Amino acid sequence: MTDPSTQADDVGEMMEAVSESCVYCRCGCCKDGCPVYEEVLEESMSPKGRNELIRAVLKGIVEPDERAMRIAYSCLLCRRDEESCGARLKNSEAVEQFRAFLLRRGLEMLPEHRDLANSLRNYGNPWGQARSSRKRWASAATWSQRAPQPGSNLLFVGCTFALDRSLLATPRAVASIMDKTGGSFQVMLEDEVCCGSTIKRIGEERMFSELRKANCESILFSGARRVVTPCSGCYKTIAQDYGDMLQGVEVMHSTQYILEVLRSQRLRVAGLDATVTYHDPCHLGRYAGIYDEPREILGFISGLSLVEMRNSRELSMCCGGGGGVKTAYGDLSLRVARKRVREAERTGASILVTACPFCVQTLSAASESLDSSVTVEEISVLVDRLSADGGGGES
Amino acid sequence: MIDGEEREEVRRLLVGMLGEEKVLWRAADTVLYRKDTYRIPFESDYEYAPDLVVLPETSDEVREVVRLASERRIPLIPKGGGSNRTGMLVPIHGGIIVDTIKMDGIMELNHRDLHVTAQTGVTLKKLEEYLNEHGFTLTQEQGSHRMATVGGAISTSAFSRKNQKHGTIANRVMSLEVVLADGRKLRTGPKVLYTSTGIGLHHLFIGAEGTLGIVTEATLRVEPLPEERDMVLAFFDDFWRANDAAQRLMSSCVTFTGGEAYEAADAESLGAPEGKKGLFYVGLDGTRGEVEAEREYVRGIVRELGGVIADEEHTRAYMDRYTEQWCGARVETRFEDVLTTYVPMDRIEEFYDRLWGDIMKRHGIRPIPGDRYGLDVGRYKMVGGRYKVPEGADGWREYQAALEEVATLATELGGSISSCHGVGIQHKENIRLEYTEVALDVMRGIKRILDPENIMNPGKKLPDDVGSP
């Protein structure tokens, strides 16, 4: 079947093509599996409903207002609906464009998102923290400090891993692994700025362009030939949304790096007697097709039994943390995350492993709120604690 | 339509009953309720609009909405999954859409008496998953399975591809709870499958398209999950050879679940040898031994009539893709429509000859490749076809004229205009061809008793002389 969404060259045209195609069909199959729709049971907050709104706005039938903004920002951008859509319409991309379109038309950004944008403008991160906080994760470093060398790896930590105190174990673990296996690597510490993922999903194109430019200049100036990041959002953004601005630089997710060093036996891991399930982050799975690498990593851990959730890989359900929904609809986000944790519980696993800061945040909060028997662990933290040389610092 | 001032007053009253979040009134929310999947001219997409939309969660909330609408004579349009194809959800007189999708509770599964009771907003898929987890099945499997609701399936008397062995949802209804137009709650009868007492009131609401009341709860017959299920998929030179196999099967003693014969545009991708365009499949379920024996019997028919049996891999893939065929199909075909005509088996050839050889050709309507011929194999006798609808005002007029001729043909041959998509606004005048004046008069009488003010989905299902608000 021809993909109608790819028939339009211009990204703005894609929004039009997708909504037009969807409204011709109106089947509503996208609702099946849409994490937001399944929670709220309001069709206007389904991919079909948003496409109806986009088309009506473009045709001048509906004048966009605050409610239209709320509907536009109710999407997790998780792309789960594309797996249910027979025509595989790119609804998430259409929504992302629609958000930018609404802001260009002068509609007010949601107040919850305005704080993120102001923080990005002032501090280079969306979480309202000083630039100097960005180096906090490296303060307890046990990895050896070496002078950066041209051609080496660059560890791009990302705002959330660097600034959420509960997540600092991840950058420390990745640094530890890189130190043990790759020789020299660089970190940007307080000079790193947001990759722009959050603001791009919100639709603020100009700010995204500025952040992209700043990061590209820093990365190219560093001379690094490879950027490694543990953040799925940063990975998707740098690898896919930076276009050809980083020519000659390879972008890797930490799971790809870890698998590489495990395969080459530069890293060895001890066994673990545990039943584990893996949650596919949307930006890593459906957006980048990285499904096998994390599972292969887990396969290196002897004694570990990997069990899949009912919805996994392409059909994985979002954790509830995507698309700015966590900020704008906190309660909804938690409900989506709880549903995912319950799905993990049904596998009988004791550990829910994932590879994205937002997934760790939302699923951990959900697990805690449910008093669940499942604990959430980021994959590089798990690998590092089982690696021969011990951990990468206190968390 | 209700005027602006009254609309605001009604909105406030509804908010008082249901809460702010369950009353939709802003254009950004209500735009998607302007139309269902009916092919009204695309340029008229935004011609109609509901005044308000409500999302009740309980039958008591439905009752409050109905009472208010009844007092003020406001049209009510009950909605399920929204996949209807004949316009029964189009708010042609404005009014309040009662969207039942939040009414998705499953109240009781009775393991020994084999029935389930659920609110009618639950999707067929969700209900089936629940039943499967407990070792049961509803056996209702329609193309729109993933988003169609129990209430929508009942109200359209929907098709099931397992109809031959297990019937359709119409055969599964044991008892219904219905909110009537005056706000009373009707329980149609006890939760029993067979009774010889009373008048079978639940039958009135099957296929009523929301014109007699709002079905809020259903008790449905379920079956234990079969030990085995399988399919025979086979290819023939063309549709007519596949039809021969279908006819032979129907005169056999095999209790298959259902099947189809059609002309497949993508037969080779489904595993057909080059040049074989006629597809025939038959579903089977039951005990392992039963399925094995029936599979061999059906394969024997296929071989005898020169068919080629698909390998296991293609058969499995085909079994799983059934509900996907419907989804997204119109993205590619755009402005299309479909026939679900009921035609007696010995008149199929005559029907198709006149359909494509005369009627559609004269009106400039062409079949979509692969959808010229289609037959539901079994007692359902659905004879279908899909086609491009000519665009523009002239095209629309041609199309309406063609539909009337097709309706005349189907009824002349002793069949029915629509076997499973209902009447809506598409066929409401043409059903005069199918029913006698006495039958229509009885229908009018039932409508008058149950909905004297004609607030329940007015302008649908019955010809216009039944009255509009």
Side-chain angles (χ1 to χ4, degrees), chain A residues 288-302:
Chain A
I290 298 178
Y291 297 109
D292 294 328
E293 289 87 335
R295 290 174 171 81
E296 281 189 46
I297 290 171
L298 296 172
F300 272 89
I301 302 171
S302 61

Side-chain angles (χ1 to χ4, degrees), chain A residues 98-139:
Chain A
F98 186 51
R99 292 173 176 186
F101 169 85
L102 292 172
L103 295 182
R104 280 202 305 273
R105 279 207 29 180
L107 278 106
E108 285 281 317
M109 188 179 279
L110 296 186
E112 300 92 329
H113 290 153
R114 209 177 302 134
D115 293 342
L116 303 182
N118 287 337
S119 174
L120 275 166
R121 205 170 287 120
N122 294 328
Y123 309 118
N125 70 72
W127 311 129
Q129 296 198 36
R131 286 176 199 272
S132 58
S133 305
R134 218 174 178 108
K135 61 185 179 188
R136 190 187 291 133
W137 69 270
S139 63

Side-chain angles (χ1 to χ4, degrees), chain B residues 58-124:
Chain B
T58 65
S59 56
D60 285 341
E61 288 184 345
V62 172
R63 188 157 65 166
E64 288 193 66
V65 173
V66 172
R67 279 183 179 151
L68 176 67
S70 175
E71 279 166 20
R72 293 171 179 257
R73 299 189 185 179
I74 298 170
L76 293 169
I77 301 121
K79 173 188 166 290
S83 56
N84 173 255
R85 299 216 59 182
T86 55
M88 61 182 75
L89 302 175
V90 181
I92 52 175
H93 299 295
I96 301 169
I97 305 253
V98 182
D99 193 341
T100 60
I101 54 177
K102 281 184 189 286
M103 297 174 52
D104 67 342
I106 299 167
M107 275 82 80
E108 184 204 358
L109 171 61
N110 190 312
H111 291 237
R112 300 191 68 179
D113 293 323
L114 299 175
H115 57 75
V116 67
T117 299
Q119 286 184 297
T120 47
V122 66
T123 62
L124 293 169

